[in-house]
PDB file of all heavy atoms in Angstrom:
ATOM      1  N   GLN A 389      -2.216  -1.659  -6.755  1.00 95.00           N
ATOM      2  CA  GLN A 389      -3.121  -2.457  -5.925  1.00 95.00           C
ATOM      3  C   GLN A 389      -3.233  -1.867  -4.525  1.00 95.00           C
ATOM      4  O   GLN A 389      -4.312  -1.856  -3.939  1.00 95.00           O
ATOM      5  CB  GLN A 389      -2.635  -3.904  -5.869  1.00 95.00           C
ATOM      6  CG  GLN A 389      -2.735  -4.624  -7.198  1.00 95.00           C
ATOM      7  CD  GLN A 389      -2.015  -5.957  -7.156  1.00 95.00           C
ATOM      8  OE1 GLN A 389      -0.782  -6.019  -7.045  1.00 95.00           O
ATOM      9  NE2 GLN A 389      -2.774  -7.032  -7.221  1.00 95.00           N
ATOM     10  N   ILE A 390      -2.121  -1.374  -3.983  1.00 96.00           N
ATOM     11  CA  ILE A 390      -2.148  -0.742  -2.657  1.00 96.00           C
ATOM     12  C   ILE A 390      -3.102   0.445  -2.676  1.00 96.00           C
ATOM     13  O   ILE A 390      -3.890   0.637  -1.748  1.00 96.00           O
ATOM     14  CB  ILE A 390      -0.727  -0.321  -2.217  1.00 96.00           C
ATOM     15  CG1 ILE A 390       0.113  -1.560  -1.897  1.00 96.00           C
ATOM     16  CG2 ILE A 390      -0.789   0.618  -1.010  1.00 96.00           C
ATOM     17  CD1 ILE A 390       1.592  -1.284  -1.715  1.00 96.00           C
ATOM     18  N   MET A 391      -3.076   1.228  -3.753  1.00 95.00           N
ATOM     19  CA  MET A 391      -3.949   2.410  -3.831  1.00 95.00           C
ATOM     20  C   MET A 391      -5.421   2.025  -3.950  1.00 95.00           C
ATOM     21  O   MET A 391      -6.294   2.828  -3.644  1.00 95.00           O
ATOM     22  CB  MET A 391      -3.517   3.323  -4.976  1.00 95.00           C
ATOM     23  CG  MET A 391      -2.181   3.979  -4.670  1.00 95.00           C
ATOM     24  SD  MET A 391      -1.613   5.316  -5.766  1.00 95.00           S
ATOM     25  CE  MET A 391      -2.215   4.907  -7.346  1.00 95.00           C
ATOM     26  N   LYS A 392      -5.720   0.806  -4.356  1.00 93.00           N
ATOM     27  CA  LYS A 392      -7.097   0.313  -4.342  1.00 93.00           C
ATOM     28  C   LYS A 392      -7.495  -0.151  -2.937  1.00 93.00           C
ATOM     29  O   LYS A 392      -8.670  -0.205  -2.617  1.00 93.00           O
ATOM     30  CB  LYS A 392      -7.261  -0.842  -5.327  1.00 93.00           C
ATOM     31  CG  LYS A 392      -7.157  -0.414  -6.783  1.00 93.00           C
ATOM     32  CD  LYS A 392      -7.266  -1.600  -7.705  1.00 93.00           C
ATOM     33  CE  LYS A 392      -7.073  -1.175  -9.158  1.00 93.00           C
ATOM     34  NZ  LYS A 392      -7.054  -2.320 -10.064  1.00 93.00           N
ATOM     35  N   MET A 393      -6.502  -0.495  -2.122  1.00 93.00           N
ATOM     36  CA  MET A 393      -6.757  -1.065  -0.796  1.00 93.00           C
ATOM     37  C   MET A 393      -6.876  -0.008   0.301  1.00 93.00           C
ATOM     38  O   MET A 393      -7.687  -0.159   1.217  1.00 93.00           O
ATOM     39  CB  MET A 393      -5.631  -2.050  -0.444  1.00 93.00           C
ATOM     40  CG  MET A 393      -5.515  -3.209  -1.404  1.00 93.00           C
ATOM     41  SD  MET A 393      -3.978  -4.123  -1.171  1.00 93.00           S
ATOM     42  CE  MET A 393      -4.419  -5.149   0.197  1.00 93.00           C
ATOM     43  N   ILE A 394      -6.027   1.019   0.225  1.00 94.00           N
ATOM     44  CA  ILE A 394      -6.041   2.060   1.252  1.00 94.00           C
ATOM     45  C   ILE A 394      -6.194   3.418   0.572  1.00 94.00           C
ATOM     46  O   ILE A 394      -5.803   3.575  -0.585  1.00 94.00           O
ATOM     47  CB  ILE A 394      -4.779   2.011   2.163  1.00 94.00           C
ATOM     48  CG1 ILE A 394      -3.492   2.218   1.385  1.00 94.00           C
ATOM     49  CG2 ILE A 394      -4.736   0.687   2.947  1.00 94.00           C
ATOM     50  CD1 ILE A 394      -2.229   2.261   2.252  1.00 94.00           C
ATOM     51  N   PRO A 395      -6.774   4.400   1.263  1.00 93.00           N
ATOM     52  CA  PRO A 395      -7.099   5.676   0.617  1.00 93.00           C
ATOM     53  C   PRO A 395      -5.942   6.659   0.486  1.00 93.00           C
ATOM     54  O   PRO A 395      -6.099   7.701  -0.138  1.00 93.00           O
ATOM     55  CB  PRO A 395      -8.177   6.253   1.542  1.00 93.00           C
ATOM     56  CG  PRO A 395      -7.820   5.723   2.891  1.00 93.00           C
ATOM     57  CD  PRO A 395      -7.299   4.332   2.628  1.00 93.00           C
ATOM     58  N   HIS A 396      -4.794   6.378   1.038  1.00 95.00           N
ATOM     59  CA  HIS A 396      -3.670   7.315   1.043  1.00 95.00           C
ATOM     60  C   HIS A 396      -3.159   7.594  -0.369  1.00 95.00           C
ATOM     61  O   HIS A 396      -3.114   6.713  -1.209  1.00 95.00           O
ATOM     62  CB  HIS A 396      -2.534   6.757   1.897  1.00 95.00           C
ATOM     63  CG  HIS A 396      -2.957   6.418   3.281  1.00 95.00           C
ATOM     64  ND1 HIS A 396      -3.653   5.257   3.572  1.00 95.00           N
ATOM     65  CD2 HIS A 396      -2.815   7.083   4.438  1.00 95.00           C
ATOM     66  CE1 HIS A 396      -3.915   5.226   4.865  1.00 95.00           C
ATOM     67  NE2 HIS A 396      -3.411   6.320   5.417  1.00 95.00           N
ATOM     68  N   ARG A 397      -2.751   8.840  -0.583  1.00 96.00           N
ATOM     69  CA  ARG A 397      -2.196   9.277  -1.858  1.00 96.00           C
ATOM     70  C   ARG A 397      -1.013  10.199  -1.572  1.00 96.00           C
ATOM     71  O   ARG A 397      -0.819  10.642  -0.445  1.00 96.00           O
ATOM     72  CB  ARG A 397      -3.242  10.028  -2.703  1.00 96.00           C
ATOM     73  CG  ARG A 397      -4.435   9.180  -3.135  1.00 96.00           C
ATOM     74  CD  ARG A 397      -3.996   8.046  -4.074  1.00 96.00           C
ATOM     75  NE  ARG A 397      -5.117   7.214  -4.488  1.00 96.00           N
ATOM     76  CZ  ARG A 397      -5.485   6.094  -3.878  1.00 96.00           C
ATOM     77  NH1 ARG A 397      -4.873   5.668  -2.801  1.00 96.00           N
ATOM     78  NH2 ARG A 397      -6.484   5.370  -4.366  1.00 96.00           N
ATOM     79  N   TYR A 398      -0.244  10.513  -2.613  1.00 93.00           N
ATOM     80  CA  TYR A 398       0.875  11.430  -2.482  1.00 93.00           C
ATOM     81  C   TYR A 398       0.376  12.731  -1.843  1.00 93.00           C
ATOM     82  O   TYR A 398      -0.699  13.205  -2.199  1.00 93.00           O
ATOM     83  CB  TYR A 398       1.492  11.732  -3.867  1.00 93.00           C
ATOM     84  CG  TYR A 398       2.607  12.740  -3.782  1.00 93.00           C
ATOM     85  CD1 TYR A 398       3.896  12.329  -3.470  1.00 93.00           C
ATOM     86  CD2 TYR A 398       2.365  14.090  -3.965  1.00 93.00           C
ATOM     87  CE1 TYR A 398       4.919  13.254  -3.354  1.00 93.00           C
ATOM     88  CE2 TYR A 398       3.386  15.020  -3.842  1.00 93.00           C
ATOM     89  CZ  TYR A 398       4.659  14.594  -3.535  1.00 93.00           C
ATOM     90  OH  TYR A 398       5.659  15.508  -3.408  1.00 93.00           O
ATOM     91  N   PRO A 399       1.096  13.265  -0.908  1.00 94.00           N
ATOM     92  CA  PRO A 399       2.425  12.890  -0.445  1.00 94.00           C
ATOM     93  C   PRO A 399       2.420  11.974   0.784  1.00 94.00           C
ATOM     94  O   PRO A 399       3.450  11.778   1.401  1.00 94.00           O
ATOM     95  CB  PRO A 399       3.046  14.244  -0.081  1.00 94.00           C
ATOM     96  CG  PRO A 399       1.889  15.042   0.448  1.00 94.00           C
ATOM     97  CD  PRO A 399       0.701  14.595  -0.368  1.00 94.00           C
ATOM     98  N   LEU A 400       1.268  11.401   1.131  1.00 96.00           N
ATOM     99  CA  LEU A 400       1.203  10.613   2.359  1.00 96.00           C
ATOM    100  C   LEU A 400       1.125   9.105   2.136  1.00 96.00           C
ATOM    101  O   LEU A 400       1.013   8.369   3.102  1.00 96.00           O
ATOM    102  CB  LEU A 400       0.041  11.089   3.232  1.00 96.00           C
ATOM    103  CG  LEU A 400       0.357  11.062   4.714  1.00 96.00           C
ATOM    104  CD1 LEU A 400       1.580  11.887   5.080  1.00 96.00           C
ATOM    105  CD2 LEU A 400      -0.821  11.489   5.532  1.00 96.00           C
ATOM    106  N   LEU A 401       1.203   8.635   0.916  1.00 98.00           N
ATOM    107  CA  LEU A 401       1.270   7.199   0.677  1.00 98.00           C
ATOM    108  C   LEU A 401       2.721   6.782   0.891  1.00 98.00           C
ATOM    109  O   LEU A 401       3.607   7.211   0.155  1.00 98.00           O
ATOM    110  CB  LEU A 401       0.797   6.857  -0.740  1.00 98.00           C
ATOM    111  CG  LEU A 401       0.816   5.376  -1.111  1.00 98.00           C
ATOM    112  CD1 LEU A 401      -0.010   4.534  -0.133  1.00 98.00           C
ATOM    113  CD2 LEU A 401       0.315   5.183  -2.525  1.00 98.00           C
ATOM    114  N   LEU A 402       2.964   5.978   1.911  1.00 98.00           N
ATOM    115  CA  LEU A 402       4.343   5.726   2.352  1.00 98.00           C
ATOM    116  C   LEU A 402       4.801   4.280   2.196  1.00 98.00           C
ATOM    117  O   LEU A 402       5.822   3.890   2.778  1.00 98.00           O
ATOM    118  CB  LEU A 402       4.498   6.173   3.810  1.00 98.00           C
ATOM    119  CG  LEU A 402       4.305   7.676   4.013  1.00 98.00           C
ATOM    120  CD1 LEU A 402       4.296   8.014   5.495  1.00 98.00           C
ATOM    121  CD2 LEU A 402       5.398   8.455   3.299  1.00 98.00           C
ATOM    122  N   ILE A 403       4.068   3.479   1.421  1.00 98.00           N
ATOM    123  CA  ILE A 403       4.561   2.146   1.077  1.00 98.00           C
ATOM    124  C   ILE A 403       4.445   1.976  -0.435  1.00 98.00           C
ATOM    125  O   ILE A 403       3.501   2.446  -1.055  1.00 98.00           O
ATOM    126  CB  ILE A 403       3.837   1.004   1.837  1.00 98.00           C
ATOM    127  CG1 ILE A 403       2.323   1.053   1.657  1.00 98.00           C
ATOM    128  CG2 ILE A 403       4.228   1.023   3.310  1.00 98.00           C
ATOM    129  CD1 ILE A 403       1.588  -0.130   2.260  1.00 98.00           C
ATOM    130  N   ASP A 404       5.448   1.338  -1.011  1.00 98.00           N
ATOM    131  CA  ASP A 404       5.508   1.135  -2.454  1.00 98.00           C
ATOM    132  C   ASP A 404       5.100  -0.274  -2.860  1.00 98.00           C
ATOM    133  O   ASP A 404       4.714  -0.506  -3.995  1.00 98.00           O
ATOM    134  CB  ASP A 404       6.933   1.373  -2.971  1.00 98.00           C
ATOM    135  CG  ASP A 404       7.414   2.784  -2.716  1.00 98.00           C
ATOM    136  OD1 ASP A 404       6.609   3.718  -2.868  1.00 98.00           O
ATOM    137  OD2 ASP A 404       8.602   2.952  -2.363  1.00 98.00           O
ATOM    138  N   ARG A 405       5.201  -1.212  -1.932  1.00 98.00           N
ATOM    139  CA  ARG A 405       4.952  -2.611  -2.257  1.00 98.00           C
ATOM    140  C   ARG A 405       4.626  -3.361  -0.974  1.00 98.00           C
ATOM    141  O   ARG A 405       5.104  -2.996   0.105  1.00 98.00           O
ATOM    142  CB  ARG A 405       6.216  -3.191  -2.894  1.00 98.00           C
ATOM    143  CG  ARG A 405       6.081  -4.592  -3.405  1.00 98.00           C
ATOM    144  CD  ARG A 405       7.338  -5.080  -4.116  1.00 98.00           C
ATOM    145  NE  ARG A 405       7.672  -4.149  -5.193  1.00 98.00           N
ATOM    146  CZ  ARG A 405       8.915  -3.789  -5.504  1.00 98.00           C
ATOM    147  NH1 ARG A 405       9.935  -4.244  -4.825  1.00 98.00           N
ATOM    148  NH2 ARG A 405       9.127  -2.948  -6.491  1.00 98.00           N
ATOM    149  N   LEU A 406       3.830  -4.427  -1.102  1.00 98.00           N
ATOM    150  CA  LEU A 406       3.536  -5.333   0.010  1.00 98.00           C
ATOM    151  C   LEU A 406       3.960  -6.722  -0.428  1.00 98.00           C
ATOM    152  O   LEU A 406       3.613  -7.163  -1.534  1.00 98.00           O
ATOM    153  CB  LEU A 406       2.038  -5.298   0.336  1.00 98.00           C
ATOM    154  CG  LEU A 406       1.595  -5.903   1.662  1.00 98.00           C
ATOM    155  CD1 LEU A 406       2.132  -5.087   2.833  1.00 98.00           C
ATOM    156  CD2 LEU A 406       0.077  -5.987   1.739  1.00 98.00           C
ATOM    157  N   MET A 407       4.731  -7.405   0.415  1.00 98.00           N
ATOM    158  CA  MET A 407       5.248  -8.725   0.045  1.00 98.00           C
ATOM    159  C   MET A 407       5.363  -9.600   1.285  1.00 98.00           C
ATOM    160  O   MET A 407       5.004  -9.176   2.384  1.00 98.00           O
ATOM    161  CB  MET A 407       6.595  -8.571  -0.660  1.00 98.00           C
ATOM    162  CG  MET A 407       7.606  -7.812   0.122  1.00 98.00           C
ATOM    163  SD  MET A 407       8.908  -7.216  -0.960  1.00 98.00           S
ATOM    164  CE  MET A 407       9.938  -6.452   0.253  1.00 98.00           C
ATOM    165  N   ASP A 408       5.860 -10.831   1.102  1.00 97.00           N
ATOM    166  CA  ASP A 408       6.004 -11.794   2.203  1.00 97.00           C
ATOM    167  C   ASP A 408       4.693 -11.907   2.988  1.00 97.00           C
ATOM    168  O   ASP A 408       4.683 -11.944   4.213  1.00 97.00           O
ATOM    169  CB  ASP A 408       7.146 -11.401   3.155  1.00 97.00           C
ATOM    170  CG  ASP A 408       8.481 -11.252   2.460  1.00 97.00           C
ATOM    171  OD1 ASP A 408       8.692 -11.928   1.432  1.00 97.00           O
ATOM    172  OD2 ASP A 408       9.315 -10.458   2.930  1.00 97.00           O
ATOM    173  N   ILE A 409       3.591 -11.989   2.258  1.00 97.00           N
ATOM    174  CA  ILE A 409       2.260 -11.922   2.867  1.00 97.00           C
ATOM    175  C   ILE A 409       1.819 -13.296   3.376  1.00 97.00           C
ATOM    176  O   ILE A 409       1.850 -14.279   2.640  1.00 97.00           O
ATOM    177  CB  ILE A 409       1.230 -11.399   1.846  1.00 97.00           C
ATOM    178  CG1 ILE A 409       1.671 -10.041   1.302  1.00 97.00           C
ATOM    179  CG2 ILE A 409      -0.166 -11.346   2.455  1.00 97.00           C
ATOM    180  CD1 ILE A 409       0.968  -9.625   0.028  1.00 97.00           C
ATOM    181  N   VAL A 410       1.403 -13.316   4.626  1.00 97.00           N
ATOM    182  CA  VAL A 410       0.715 -14.466   5.206  1.00 97.00           C
ATOM    183  C   VAL A 410      -0.625 -13.909   5.676  1.00 97.00           C
ATOM    184  O   VAL A 410      -0.683 -13.215   6.696  1.00 97.00           O
ATOM    185  CB  VAL A 410       1.496 -15.092   6.388  1.00 97.00           C
ATOM    186  CG1 VAL A 410       0.717 -16.270   6.965  1.00 97.00           C
ATOM    187  CG2 VAL A 410       2.896 -15.507   5.963  1.00 97.00           C
ATOM    188  N   PRO A 411      -1.701 -14.130   4.895  1.00 96.00           N
ATOM    189  CA  PRO A 411      -2.995 -13.529   5.245  1.00 96.00           C
ATOM    190  C   PRO A 411      -3.367 -13.782   6.712  1.00 96.00           C
ATOM    191  O   PRO A 411      -3.138 -14.867   7.247  1.00 96.00           O
ATOM    192  CB  PRO A 411      -3.974 -14.225   4.287  1.00 96.00           C
ATOM    193  CG  PRO A 411      -3.123 -14.573   3.095  1.00 96.00           C
ATOM    194  CD  PRO A 411      -1.788 -14.957   3.692  1.00 96.00           C
ATOM    195  N   ASN A 412      -3.907 -12.735   7.331  1.00 96.00           N
ATOM    196  CA  ASN A 412      -4.324 -12.757   8.741  1.00 96.00           C
ATOM    197  C   ASN A 412      -3.167 -12.902   9.721  1.00 96.00           C
ATOM    198  O   ASN A 412      -3.399 -13.070  10.909  1.00 96.00           O
ATOM    199  CB  ASN A 412      -5.357 -13.857   9.010  1.00 96.00           C
ATOM    200  CG  ASN A 412      -6.645 -13.587   8.311  1.00 96.00           C
ATOM    201  OD1 ASN A 412      -7.266 -12.548   8.518  1.00 96.00           O
ATOM    202  ND2 ASN A 412      -7.052 -14.504   7.443  1.00 96.00           N
TER     203      ASN A 412
END
């Protein structure tokens, strides 16, 4: 899902997961 949200790819994609989300 992160790869659908931001354009970064290996070797520069530096987050594996997003959690504890409070939108905005």
